[in-house]
Amino acid sequence: MYNVKSMKAEEFISDEEILETLQYAEDNKNNIKLIDEIIEKAKLRKGLNHREASVLLACDIPKKVMEIYNLAEQIKKDFYGNRIVLFAPLYLSNYCVNGCVYCPYHLKNKHIARKKLTKEEVAREVTALMDMGHKRLAIEAGEDPVMNPIEYILECIDTIYGVKHKNGAIRRVNVNIAATTVENYRRLHEAGIGTYILFQETYNKASYEKLHPTGPKSDYAYHTEAMDRAMEGGIDDVGLGVLFGLELYKYEFAGLLMHAEHLEAVHGVGPHTISLPRIKRADDIDPDTFDNGISDEIFCKIAACIRIAVPYTGMIISTRESKEVRDEVIRLGVSQISGGSKTSVGGYCEPSPADELTEQFDVSDTRTLDEVISWLMSKGYIPSFCTACYREGRTGDRFMSLLKSGQIQNCCHPNALMTLKEYLEDYASNDTKSLGEMLIMKELDNIPDKKVRDIVIDRLAKIENGDRDFRF
Ligand code: SAM
């Protein structure tokens, strides 16, 4: 049964519909007439449904794949310009009662050092992140109702927003914690969180149950319906993702888009972001034991097809991926990346000793934030620390209508320049600063409206004189 508006996981993520979609995609992967029609539809920039997008993902005719890549790149430019938003994860606690077989936090792992940050330690980590230049965090925690109850998470959020250090402030806290109740989502919303992120891991129910044999996370329906509860609790922005490598990627791709269609149909707003995590080596975890690993090439193709299918949804890539892969997926559609990340609890202040394992997974991109910023600018991107959408209430459907009307170019571009200027003044190395100053001068010419340009020039001068505006 397939009912996109149903609130039941097994109806809006119908296994039967996914299998039929995969068959349809396989049958049509060389159907040039249909592929051309789908590409023409995608050029209207209103997105594609899961069946259409699955045909493009299955297609391996080199000329058509090139057209898909070119279109993804163009849509990325049209919707997001050359801005890349930066964030960092902050691991609060690795206590966990679940049995997820791919995650080193699983309950049976007795050699990982279990840690939970105190209020003082959270403040120290946040200070270290601010000293790097971060303004946007994603907090991460294992699921443990005793060690990490919602009150602990709320207290951490309060601590994070409360830290003021030099010119620094964390202006947006995104939250990646286990599925919870409407009431708890309401409390997170009231605490002023940005996006609530929850990875589905896999949309295949049978695999999900094998991969999550024990603990609260083993309930497929409760996990899959979490975004509906989050939206019921008032959270406008939700972030989806699957952990690529666990199941067949074509299945996950169709499931992910069906989930996005469901949110749009029921709540009037699709996901704010889609993350693209891939399984990585970790303590007690060997990614080779999972049969469904995907090549870098397929990974990039997935990114391009998502960009075309849901142009309004931001795409996130973490430091799980190497510099080379990040380079490619940024070109094809990714709009947000992490930089200078540590995946261990307390890792920003005190890197774990070699004999003490607390990392969640190995990081591939180990560059500092300054190196990442410099690299982005050398490639012509504008690193952005902007969080204004959230501050100005431009979330959920309001954000979507801004994006759909094209107006976002008039506010995001200037905001990116102003927050980059703050970064350059407060945190950048000399080389990064010179590169950034040149980029800003050049990019000022790309603000079409002279009035807006004058406001930005005035604001840049104020930033140079030490003025900081916490609305951005
Ligand atoms: N505990 C929360 C939950 O269960 O959803 C979320 C926090 S968990 C720290 C964040 C994500 O890390 C998980 O959703 C999973 O997709 C990812 N993850 C777990 N093990 C991983 C591994 N070995 N390699 C890459 N990512 C992994």
Side-chain angles (χ1 to χ4, degrees):
M1 196 196 311
Y2 176 48
N3 177 357
V4 73
K5 284 202 168 184
S6 165
M7 299 298 271
K8 288 207 174 96
E10 281 181 69
E11 289 177 8
F12 66 81
I13 305 291
S14 153
D15 179 58
E16 198 185 336
E17 171 61 18
I18 297 183
L19 294 178
E20 278 177 22
T21 297
L22 299 192
Q23 191 57 53
Y24 175 77
E26 190 57 28
D27 293 346
N28 286 291
K29 66 179 191 183
N30 293 314
N31 180 344
I32 294 192
K33 184 170 171 290
L34 179 66
I35 291 165
D36 282 342
E37 279 169 19
I38 297 173
I39 293 178
E40 281 312 304
K41 181 177 172 193
K43 284 184 187 163
L44 301 175
R45 288 147 170 72
K46 294 197 181 342
L48 296 175
N49 64 37
H50 60 277
R51 283 213 175 196
E52 295 159 340
S54 292
V55 173
L56 296 191
L57 185 67
C59 165
D60 44 23
I61 304 165
K63 186 167 171 283
K64 294 294 147 196
V65 174
M66 200 42 72
E67 282 178 39
I68 292 167
Y69 279 33
N70 290 341
L71 180 57
E73 193 175 345
Q74 195 53 50
I75 290 180
K76 160 83 195 292
K77 280 192 190 131
D78 295 348
F79 279 71
Y80 302 89
N82 52 350
R83 298 176 301 280
I84 297 290
V85 170
L86 273 304
F87 77 99
L90 171 59
Y91 283 76
L92 301 177
S93 166
N94 61 11
Y95 282 93
C96 194
V97 296
N98 285 315
C100 317
V101 302
Y102 50 83
C103 181
Y105 290 2
H106 68 81
L107 186 64
K108 284 192 188 149
N109 186 353
K110 298 295 176 210
H111 37 85
I112 191 163
R114 300 284 171 177
K115 271 195 180 175
K116 168 183 165 180
L117 298 181
T118 62
K119 220 171 156 178
E120 292 67 35
E121 286 166 336
V122 170
R124 282 219 303 271
E125 288 284 282
V126 170
T127 306
L129 283 156
M130 284 176 179
D131 279 337
M132 290 159 71
H134 279 295
K135 302 274 189 274
R136 177 188 290 244
L137 301 183
I139 56 171
E140 312 272 342
E143 179 167 17
D144 187 325
V146 176
M147 293 303 286
N148 324 322
I150 193 72
E151 289 72 21
Y152 171 71
I153 304 292
L154 293 167
E155 193 183 279
C156 289
I157 295 170
D158 196 46
T159 304
I160 295 168
Y161 280 137
V163 179
K164 298 284 173 279
H165 169 67
K166 298 184 184 163
N167 283 335
I170 297 300
R171 299 168 182 176
R172 182 173 174 120
V173 178
N174 296 336
V175 174
N176 183 3
I177 60 163
T180 185
T181 59
V182 174
E183 182 47 31
N184 286 347
Y185 286 124
R186 193 162 287 127
R187 294 172 79 182
L188 286 169
H189 175 58
E190 282 161 9
I193 69 161
T195 313
Y196 172 66
I197 299 165
L198 181 69
F199 299 158
Q200 177 63 31
E201 320 302 3
T202 175
Y203 282 97
N204 185 312
K205 183 169 185 266
S207 302
Y208 184 95
E209 286 170 351
K210 272 192 220 132
L211 292 160
H212 305 93
T214 55
K217 194 167 170 177
S218 60
D219 185 338
Y220 175 82
Y222 190 73
H223 188 80
T224 311
E225 292 158 10
M227 295 315 192
D228 295 293
R229 292 194 300 281
M231 286 184 157
E232 201 187 324
I235 296 177
D236 278 340
D237 289 347
V238 298
L240 305 181
V242 290
L243 187 54
F244 284 102
L246 298 179
E247 239 302 328
L248 296 172
Y249 71 91
K250 290 179 181 168
Y251 192 103
E252 304 296 23
F253 178 82
L256 191 58
L257 292 183
M258 284 165 73
H259 200 172
E261 287 162 16
H262 162 75
L263 295 176
E264 175 115 36
V266 174
H267 306 280
V269 53
H272 188 66
T273 53
I274 289 181
S275 298
L276 297 177
R278 255 199 296 189
I279 187 141
K280 295 283 301 178
R281 189 167 301 280
D283 177 46
D284 212 33
I285 308 296
D286 177 359
D288 295 339
T289 55
F290 299 91
D291 298 335
N292 297 306
I294 51 172
S295 66
D296 292 350
E297 203 186 333
I298 295 291
F299 191 65
C300 292
K301 195 173 177 192
I302 293 170
C305 290
I306 293 178
R307 181 66 303 135
I308 289 177
V310 281
Y312 313 114
T313 301
M315 254 201 284
I316 302 181
I317 197 89
S318 75
T319 54
R320 287 177 183 87
E321 297 301 329
S322 66
K323 174 182 166 193
E324 291 69 30
V325 170
R326 283 171 28 117
D327 195 5
E328 195 55 11
V329 290
I330 286 173
R331 184 175 71 79
L332 294 170
V334 162
S335 51
Q336 247 187 69
I337 70 170
S338 49
S341 307
K342 298 281 184 240
T343 63
S344 55
V345 179
Y348 292 105
C349 285
E350 290 161 24
S352 330
D355 59 344
E356 190 188 286
L357 300 159
T358 67
E359 272 92 3
Q360 199 201 5
F361 49 79
D362 287 356
V363 162
S364 294
D365 187 341
T366 54
R367 292 172 295 172
T368 63
L369 181 63
D370 192 70
E371 287 166 340
V372 171
I373 298 291
S374 168
W375 166 73
L376 286 172
M377 294 193 301
S378 72
K379 301 238 149 207
Y381 294 109
I382 310 171
S384 173
F385 291 90
C386 181
T387 55
C389 286
Y390 156 68
R391 292 277 150 205
E392 299 291 310
R394 288 198 299 263
T395 58
D397 54 348
R398 279 151 302 187
F399 172 78
M400 287 295 169
S401 37
L402 198 67
L403 194 57
K404 287 179 188 178
S405 68
Q407 276 306 307
I408 213 143
Q409 308 285 27
N410 288 331
C411 49
C412 293
H413 184 69
N415 287 353
L417 295 183
M418 292 185 284
T419 56
L420 174 61
K421 176 72 174 169
E422 288 182 346
Y423 173 83
L424 298 176
E425 289 297 317
D426 292 339
Y427 309 104
S429 64
N430 288 339
D431 287 351
T432 303
K433 190 168 177 191
S434 335
L435 197 60
E437 297 292 357
M438 281 189 299
L439 182 77
I440 291 176
M441 291 307 285
K442 190 174 127 237
E443 288 292 339
L444 277 174
D445 292 340
N446 293 335
I447 301 176
D449 187 326
K450 187 176 172 317
K451 260 201 231 141
V452 177
R453 195 162 59 235
D454 288 345
I455 293 169
V456 176
I457 291 171
D458 181 55
R459 181 79 210 125
L460 291 174
K462 287 193 172 127
I463 292 170
E464 209 160 299
N465 288 328
D467 186 11
R468 296 291 172 271
D469 186 337
F470 289 90
R471 281 174 304 158
F472 295 105

